[in-house]
Amino acid sequence: MAEVKHHHQLFHHKKDEGEPAEVDYAKAEKHHNHKERLAELGTLAAGAYALHEKHQSKKDPKNAHKHKIKEEIAAVVAVGSGGFAFHEHHEKKAARKERKSHGHH
């Protein structure tokens, strides 16, 4: 499988016309770690809200359909947030690998 290199605008501002700035891989690693942790919190919050709505649908049968829809939406948000956390985890690992390969420990 071919290795895919991700280059994010945030870390590649050009100093002069043809000269790209040096990438701060430690900063990139920290940035991806922060986004990974936020995504994990989002996953946890959305999952908790989905469980809450599931409980509400049983407790409030008159509005059960409304609660069921909210539960399903929250579950989709939790899955999406989990996927983003997974993505950021791999971006963090790639930044760490780049940092170590460029001799910055």
Side-chain angles (χ1 to χ4, degrees):
M1 186 170 175
E3 184 176 328
V4 178
K5 298 235 182 215
H6 296 279
H7 297 285
H8 299 284
Q9 183 88 20
L10 182 62
F11 302 109
H12 288 274
H13 297 287
K14 293 186 177 184
K15 289 180 183 173
D16 291 325
E17 197 50 38
E19 182 185 335
E22 186 169 325
V23 179
D24 186 348
Y25 293 108
K27 185 176 179 181
E29 182 181 348
K30 187 175 180 180
H31 175 73
H32 289 297
N33 186 55
H34 180 71
K35 288 172 74 175
E36 178 186 2
R37 296 295 167 240
L38 287 175
E40 288 171 346
L41 285 173
T43 303
L44 184 65
Y49 186 71
L51 288 174
H52 167 74
E53 286 298 328
K54 184 175 186 170
H55 175 71
Q56 290 296 91
S57 70
K58 291 177 181 174
K59 196 169 107 175
D60 181 16
K62 188 173 80 170
N63 294 309
H65 183 69
K66 178 181 78 169
H67 292 296
K68 190 70 178 164
I69 290 170
K70 288 181 178 181
E71 175 195 347
E72 290 174 6
I73 291 169
V76 168
V77 170
V79 169
S81 184
F84 185 66
F86 183 75
H87 164 77
E88 286 300 324
H89 177 73
H90 286 281
E91 290 293 315
K92 177 182 71 176
K93 283 175 53 177
R96 181 179 299 140
K97 183 177 177 183
E98 286 295 320
R99 179 175 52 90
K100 288 183 179 184
S101 72
H102 284 88
H104 301 93
H105 297 280

